């Protein structure tokens, strides 16, 4: 997985529009002062997080992240936002966000439905530290702005949950138009499940016919450059939940024989068991950091027959127990 993010030039213009000097942001972030002069801005996960912490340090406005994420000028929307805005419905818009956000790899948007709720979470797959609060503000404001504009204000968030300590509650509740809770187990943006079917008044099939194929072609090219190992790992992550990982199941999902799967992994210098361990390790970090699952539940979702096997594996990966690791990243 490539640890590079493509930063849109529209974000840079938005920072300048809001009265914060880009050079000041870069100085606070410890990034090269010529970074924004590049035609194509690519950052690692650590550099991206540093950039958003630099934004927070350079601005004394607690609403700065919300303002960045709430771009009112459609002509400044990037192609992903345009594809979402001109989608058929809110549910279609969210799925396009999920699909095309892969182009800014390594980041994922998780959309889950539970009861009468639809929950939206952002995950930076290679993050080694807590997500910057301002970055979460930008992402949540971006989704809410697309929902509001596409539905002419009919779709509103039901609830916002922040992991951070309480601060500026009135500001956030006014912006999102819903209750906001702090000290939550994870950062989650919650909508009514019924809103997924709500049609977008901004739907434009002609624009989508131009934008979507370009994004799909770029995504197909990017996915084709993935190693076979990454395809196997991605398949494992989808099939692990509550099941013991099996070679034949993964091979069937990928449309190859078990012998071909093993041979292609061997050519990349890795075994199937090693890819299983990588997939479990990455998923374990995600579950421990972004959910309130019990450790036994986490072990089950990773396909372990018993919790002790999970605890031993995690100790080997991280040099500490799952419970201690979760406590460390929560402080």
């Amino acid at each position: 997985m490539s640890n590079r993010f493509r930063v849109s030039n529209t974000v840079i213009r938005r920072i300048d529009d809001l009265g914060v000097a880009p050079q000041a942001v870069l100085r606070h972030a410890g990034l090269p002062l010529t970074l924004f002069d590049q035609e194509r801005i690519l950052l690692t996960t650590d550099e991206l997080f540093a950039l958003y912490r630099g934004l927070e340090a350079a601005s004394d406005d607690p609403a700065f992240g919300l303002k960045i994420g709430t771009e009112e000028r459609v002509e400044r929307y990037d192609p992903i936002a345009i594809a979402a805005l001109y989608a058929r419905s809110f549910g279609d818009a969210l799925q396009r966000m999920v699909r095309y956000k892969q182009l800014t790899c390594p980041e994922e948007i998780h959309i889950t439905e539970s009861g009468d709720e639809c929950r939206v979470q952002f995950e930076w797959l290679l993050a080694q530290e807590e997500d910057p609060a301002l970055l979460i503000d930008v992402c949540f404001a971006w989704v809410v702005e697309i929902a509001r504009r596409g539905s002419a204000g009919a779709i509103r968030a039901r609830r916002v949950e922040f992991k951070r300590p309480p601060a500026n509650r009135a500001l956030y509740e006014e912006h999102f138009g819903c209750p906001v809770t702090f000290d939550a187990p994870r950062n989650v943006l919650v909508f009514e499940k019924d809103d997924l079917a709500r049609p977008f008044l901004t739907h434009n099939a002609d624009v989508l016919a131009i934008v979507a194929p370009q994004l799909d072609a770029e995504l197909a090219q990017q996915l084709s450059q993935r190693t076979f190992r990454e395809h196997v790992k991605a398949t494992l992550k989808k099939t692990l939940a509550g099941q013991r990982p099996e070679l034949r199941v993964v091979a069937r999902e990928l449309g190859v024989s078990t012998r071909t799967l093993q041979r292609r992994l061997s050519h990349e210098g890795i075994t199937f068991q090693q890819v299983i361990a990588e997939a479990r390790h990455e998923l374990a970090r995600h579950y421990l950091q972004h959910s309130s699952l019990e450790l036994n539940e986490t072990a089950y979702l990773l396909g372990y027959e018993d919790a002790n096997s999970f605890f031993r594996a995690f100790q080997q990966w991280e040099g500490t127990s799952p419970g201690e690791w979760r406590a460390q990243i929560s402080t």
Side-chain angles (χ1 to χ4, degrees):
M1 179 183 297
S2 174
N3 184 17
R4 297 310 251 182
F5 281 85
R6 187 175 63 199
V7 179
S8 172
N9 287 318
T10 59
V11 173
I12 312 306
R13 289 201 301 268
R14 188 71 175 137
I15 293 170
D16 200 27
D17 288 347
L18 293 171
V20 173
Q23 295 295 302
V25 173
L26 294 173
R27 279 195 295 272
H28 281 292
L31 295 172
L33 297 181
T34 58
L35 179 67
F36 292 161
D37 296 331
Q38 300 175 15
E39 182 176 345
R40 186 178 173 87
I41 303 171
L42 295 173
L43 300 177
T44 65
T45 301
D46 289 343
E47 289 169 342
L48 181 81
F49 281 17
L51 174 64
Y52 277 90
R53 292 197 173 96
L55 282 167
E56 190 170 5
S59 170
D60 58 0
D61 182 0
F64 194 64
L66 301 176
K67 291 176 180 178
I68 294 176
T70 309
E71 175 57 75
E72 297 180 355
R73 297 174 60 178
V74 176
E75 69 270 19
R76 289 194 173 182
Y77 277 22
D78 63 28
I80 297 174
I82 289 173
L85 182 64
Y86 294 134
R88 295 184 304 276
S89 64
F90 183 44
D92 183 25
L94 286 176
Q95 291 306 317
R96 290 180 187 276
M97 291 179 183
V98 170
R99 176 173 173 77
Y100 298 135
K101 261 297 181 178
Q102 296 178 78
L103 293 170
T104 68
C105 186
E107 175 188 7
E108 288 184 358
I109 304 175
H110 300 286
I111 312 295
T112 57
E113 298 176 27
S114 178
D116 61 351
E117 293 185 342
C118 168
R119 304 163 67 84
V120 181
Q121 288 180 264
F122 286 75
E123 180 187 5
W124 290 268
L125 302 175
L126 301 180
Q128 300 295 318
E129 53 187 320
E130 194 67 40
D131 315 334
L134 191 139
L135 178 56
I136 295 296
D137 289 354
V138 172
C139 293
F140 282 9
W142 176 62
V143 175
V144 167
E145 178 63 17
I146 294 292
R148 286 175 178 168
R149 186 178 289 271
S151 67
I155 298 176
R156 303 169 68 91
R158 180 176 187 174
R159 185 175 69 259
V160 175
E161 300 177 8
F162 286 135
K163 290 182 67 175
R164 70 192 73 161
N168 304 302
R169 182 186 302 276
L171 181 151
Y172 286 110
E173 292 190 342
E174 180 180 359
H175 181 88
F176 290 115
C178 66
V180 175
T181 62
F182 296 89
D183 291 323
R186 63 199 69 82
N187 296 304
V188 183
L189 179 60
V190 183
F191 293 92
E192 299 282 350
K193 182 179 176 180
D194 289 346
D195 283 335
L196 294 175
R198 191 180 293 274
F200 265 17
L201 302 180
T202 51
H203 173 51
N204 189 316
D206 293 333
V207 173
L208 278 179
I210 297 171
V211 176
Q214 294 177 348
L215 292 173
D216 286 332
E218 186 176 350
L219 182 60
Q221 180 181 7
Q222 182 169 297
L223 293 177
S224 70
Q225 294 171 352
R226 277 187 179 180
T227 64
F228 187 69
R229 165 188 190 164
E230 289 172 331
H231 285 295
V232 172
K233 189 191 300 184
T235 302
L236 276 166
K237 288 181 177 181
K238 291 187 292 185
T239 58
L240 266 177
Q243 301 181 44
R244 191 174 182 180
E246 294 186 23
L247 179 66
R248 62 177 180 81
V249 173
V250 174
R252 184 177 66 242
E253 287 290 324
L254 292 172
V256 299
S257 68
T258 56
R259 180 175 295 182
T260 297
L261 189 153
Q262 290 174 310
R263 185 179 67 251
R264 292 187 63 178
L265 287 178
S266 178
H267 287 166
E268 294 185 15
I270 196 168
T271 67
F272 182 64
Q273 291 302 319
Q274 288 173 319
V275 181
I276 291 174
E278 287 186 357
R280 282 172 159 168
H281 186 187
E282 292 173 13
L283 279 176
R285 289 176 62 95
H286 169 71
Y287 289 142
L288 293 174
Q289 185 171 2
H290 298 284
S291 80
S292 55
L293 290 169
E294 296 291 336
L295 297 181
N296 287 344
E297 294 177 295
T298 300
Y300 170 77
L301 289 175
L302 295 175
Y304 285 101
E305 293 183 350
D306 59 80
N308 288 333
S309 297
F310 166 51
F311 296 159
R312 286 194 296 271
F314 196 87
Q315 183 77 38
Q316 292 178 342
W317 296 328
E318 298 289 343
T320 187
S321 71
E324 291 171 344
W325 189 87
R326 172 181 269 171
Q328 289 169 5
I329 66 168
S330 299
T331 56

